[in-house]
Amino acid sequence: DLAWYDRIDTLPWAQNVPTPSDRLAVAEVALRYSDARRSRGAVDDESGILASGAAAVRNADGATVGQVVGTFDHGWALPLRHSSIWLRTVAGASSGEASDPVANFYFGGFGNNYVDRGPAKRYREPYALPGFGIDEVRAQTFVRPMVEWNLPPLGFESVGVPGLHLGWLRPAVFASALWADPGGTAARKDYSNVGAQVDLRISILHWNEMTLSAGYAVGFVGGHQAGTEWMISLRIL
């Protein structure tokens, strides 16, 4: 990917962070691997491996910053029907000065919009951190493991009419830790959270589907509660 931004005042990937320059150039290369599996009748991946690696170069106001990010997810199907446990890990490192906004990673929030077209489970994204504000947490290097339990979904046989009916209700719970700038330096901070999300699938005219999601999470800093977050989102079509 190659991108050039002009006349900007915030970072394109961090909407609450001002840029040091109104011009920004970005080059990124990534490799992604997927071997996820699900049983018949499942509503989500139940086992397998998902992995990715990416390297990026960013230039703003004459300063060049390099960044690398890697992810590795591994899932196991449980004896409960259509239930699974996933361990999702992401780590990254950036060059440059810690005071440079471009040289940092930013975390916070579920990441869902009120009306959305992206994935319903945004808390799985590398930079999501439910329980904290959007872009509230920053780090130059980080490691973030997450444990997720997808509970058995509840299927509806006859709720609604043929042109508008409910398909299924899918609950999930998760807990994650974020080690920001680890290495024993004064800049190190430890964040964590626990949360849950419920997704309701709605079918319209047999072919079109929407997902209504609701979630709640509590964030912690150093073992002390730092914030809470409610989320509601409608993914259309």
Side-chain angles (χ1 to χ4, degrees):
D1 290 335
L2 298 174
W4 166 262
Y5 303 92
D6 190 19
R7 299 183 182 181
I8 59 174
D9 52 13
T10 61
L11 293 177
W13 56 88
Q15 64 191 47
N16 292 328
V17 181
T19 62
S21 170
D22 63 351
R23 292 182 178 179
L24 177 66
V26 180
E28 181 180 18
V29 59
L31 179 66
R32 296 179 176 87
Y33 171 82
S34 174
D35 183 20
R37 306 182 184 191
R38 61 178 66 185
S39 58
R40 181 174 298 179
V43 300
D44 203 351
D45 295 331
E46 297 176 333
S47 64
I49 293 175
L50 304 171
S52 70
V57 176
R58 297 168 175 171
N59 183 279
D61 201 21
T64 300
V65 171
Q67 293 183 330
V68 292
V69 178
T71 68
F72 184 82
D73 301 348
H74 194 261
W76 298 267
L78 297 177
L80 294 173
R81 188 177 183 182
H82 302 316
S83 181
S84 60
I85 290 285
W86 284 81
L87 176 61
R88 305 182 187 274
T89 306
V90 57
S94 176
S95 65
E97 299 294 331
S99 58
D100 183 1
V102 179
N104 282 268
F105 302 95
Y106 298 91
F107 308 85
F110 275 89
N112 302 67
N113 298 305
Y114 289 117
V115 179
D116 216 327
R117 65 179 180 87
K121 291 189 176 296
R122 296 284 187 88
Y123 63 80
R124 296 173 176 172
E125 299 294 326
Y127 306 113
L129 193 64
F132 295 88
I134 297 175
D135 305 328
E136 179 181 350
V137 178
R138 62 186 289 175
Q140 270 198 294
T141 60
F142 72 94
V143 179
R144 194 214 68 184
M146 171 190 290
V147 176
E148 177 188 14
W149 177 23
N150 294 307
L151 284 75
L154 173 64
F156 301 103
E157 294 185 2
S158 57
V159 179
V161 295
L164 177 64
H165 63 274
L166 303 183
W168 43 256
L169 183 73
R170 173 182 59 184
V173 295
F174 59 88
S176 62
L178 172 66
W179 302 313
D181 297 313
T185 66
R188 171 171 177 165
K189 287 188 177 181
D190 296 335
Y191 304 87
S192 59
N193 67 357
V194 293
Q197 180 170 320
V198 176
D199 303 313
L200 176 64
R201 175 60 57 86
I202 305 170
S203 295
I204 302 175
L205 300 178
H206 301 286
W207 295 101
N208 300 312
E209 296 180 335
M210 299 193 302
T211 304
L212 179 63
S213 301
Y216 177 75
V218 181
F220 302 88
V221 178
H224 301 283
Q225 182 174 330
T228 61
E229 181 185 4
W230 286 96
M231 181 276 294
I232 186 166
S233 174
L234 179 63
R235 181 182 183 274
I236 56 176
L237 306 183

